[in-house]
Amino acid sequence: MKNIEINLNHVRAQIAEAALACERDPDSILLLAVSKRKPSSDIRCAWQLGQRDFGENYLQEAQQKMQELEDLDITWHFIGAIQSNKTRNIAEAFDWAHCIDRVKIARRLSDQRPSNLPPLNVCIQVNIDHESSKAGIDLGELPELAQAIYQLPGIRLRGLMTIPAPRETFAEQRASFAQLAAAMSELQRQGISCDTLSMGMTHDMEAAIFEGSTLVRIGTAIFGERD
Ligand SMILES: *Cc1c(COP(=O)(O)O)cnc(C)c1O
C-alpha cells in the first residue's frame, strides 16, 4: 500500500509538472494505471487512492481480476493484442480497446458489443517507428482503416495509440510522438472526430505530454517492476 501510494502521487506530480511545463491543463491528461502481472490487491489499493482507469494486456488474467474487483467502479482498458477468438469477451467486459490494427477485429468488436452498453471506445495502434517486432499499422494505412472503423455502430473511434522505439534523448522521443499527433490532426481535418492520443509510458511520459498525449499508460512507475 505504502509504495503504491508514494508512486502514484509521484506519477501524478510528474504528469502535472510536464503539463505545466508545456502550458497544458494537467486535467486534460488521463492516467491509465497498467496493472498487468500485478495482483488485484494492488489495483484495489490504487483505487482507494482515487485511481479509476486500469489497463490489462491478457484476457484471462483480466477476467480473473474483474471478478475479484466486482465491487469497485473501474473503467477497464484492454491494451494487449486482440485475437479473433477473444473479441466477444473483450466487447462484453471492457470500456476501451487501444490496439486495433485490423478492420476484421474492429468489425467483430462492433458486432459483439452488447446493445445495452455504450459503444466500445477504441484507438487505432500505429507502428510509428516501423518495427517488425511491434503491432500496429503504418501511417499510410490510417485513412482507410479510420474511415472503416468510423462507420461501425458498436465501437467509437477515439483516437490513436503508439509504442515508439526506445530512444536516447528527449528530442528523439518527442519526434515519434509528434508524428502521431500530426496524424490525428489530419484525421480531424478529414471530418473524423476523435480526441485521444494514447501515448507515453513510464520512460517517456514527459515527451508524450509535450506532444499532446491525452492518455498516458503507466505501469512500472506505479506498481514497480514486473517479474
Ligand atoms: C506494459 C504496457 C505499458 C506500461 O509500461 P510501463 O513501462 O511499465 O509503464 C503501457 N502500454 C502498453 C501497451 C503496455 O503493454
Side-chain angles (χ1 to χ4, degrees), residues 40-106:
S40 316
S41 54
D42 283 6
I43 298 179
R44 189 173 289 279
C45 170
W47 186 91
Q48 281 161 355
L49 299 162
Q51 179 64 32
R52 291 293 177 271
D53 289 80
F54 292 89
E56 289 284 338
N57 295 57
Y58 310 103
L59 180 62
Q60 269 194 323
E61 180 188 332
Q63 286 173 318
Q64 172 82 32
K65 292 177 192 174
M66 284 174 179
Q67 243 172 41
E68 290 163 359
L69 299 166
E70 234 173 12
D71 56 316
L72 306 184
D73 59 320
I74 286 176
T75 301
W76 291 103
H77 299 242
F78 195 79
I79 61 169
I82 304 178
Q83 285 115 31
S84 296
N85 63 346
K86 306 275 168 65
T87 52
R88 182 172 298 282
N89 285 313
I90 290 168
E92 287 174 355
F94 283 83
D95 303 290
W96 285 73
H98 288 243
C99 302
I100 308 300
D101 61 4
R102 285 184 289 159
V103 71
K104 178 187 166 196
I105 296 294

Side-chain angles (χ1 to χ4, degrees), residues 128-129 131 133-134 163-170 172-173 176-177 201 203-204:
I128 206 78
D129 293 316
E131 295 169 279
S133 62
K134 286 202 181 118
I163 309 172
R167 301 289 188 198
E168 297 284 317
T169 69
F170 190 66
E172 287 171 325
Q173 288 180 352
S176 295
F177 292 131
M201 303 174 28
H203 294 294
D204 55 15

Side-chain angles (χ1 to χ4, degrees), residues 6 13 22 53 111 113:
I6 292 167
C22 58
D53 289 80
D111 291 345
R113 182 68 168 174

Side-chain angles (χ1 to χ4, degrees), residues 153-219:
I155 64 180
R156 177 169 167 220
L157 180 61
R158 294 298 299 270
L160 305 178
M161 177 273 197
T162 198
I163 309 172
R167 301 289 188 198
E168 297 284 317
T169 69
F170 190 66
E172 287 171 325
Q173 288 180 352
R174 282 185 64 169
S176 295
F177 292 131
Q179 289 182 60
L180 200 74
M184 188 162 87
S185 298
E186 182 54 33
L187 282 185
Q188 289 165 337
R189 262 196 296 280
Q190 291 164 9
I192 295 184
S193 64
C194 43
D195 58 8
T196 301
L197 281 171
S198 169
M199 56 188 203
M201 303 174 28
T202 291
H203 294 294
D204 55 15
M205 70 177 112
E206 283 94 354
I209 289 169
F210 268 70
E211 294 301 338
S213 171
T214 66
L215 187 155
V216 289
R217 308 178 311 268
I218 310 297

Side-chain angles (χ1 to χ4, degrees), residues 104-173:
K104 178 187 166 196
I105 296 294
R107 280 209 193 94
R108 289 177 65 94
L109 289 170
S110 176
D111 291 345
Q112 294 168 344
R113 182 68 168 174
S115 55
N116 62 320
L117 295 179
L120 179 71
N121 297 294
V122 303
C123 292
I124 294 174
Q125 183 174 359
V126 177
N127 188 352
I128 206 78
D129 293 316
H130 316 284
E131 295 169 279
S132 55
S133 62
K134 286 202 181 118
I137 59 165
D138 285 336
L139 279 178
E141 305 167 71
L142 179 58
E144 196 182 331
L145 183 58
Q147 282 293 349
I149 289 180
Y150 202 54
Q151 317 290 330
L152 297 171
I155 64 180
R156 177 169 167 220
L157 180 61
R158 294 298 299 270
L160 305 178
M161 177 273 197
T162 198
I163 309 172
R167 301 289 188 198
E168 297 284 317
T169 69
F170 190 66
E172 287 171 325
Q173 288 180 352

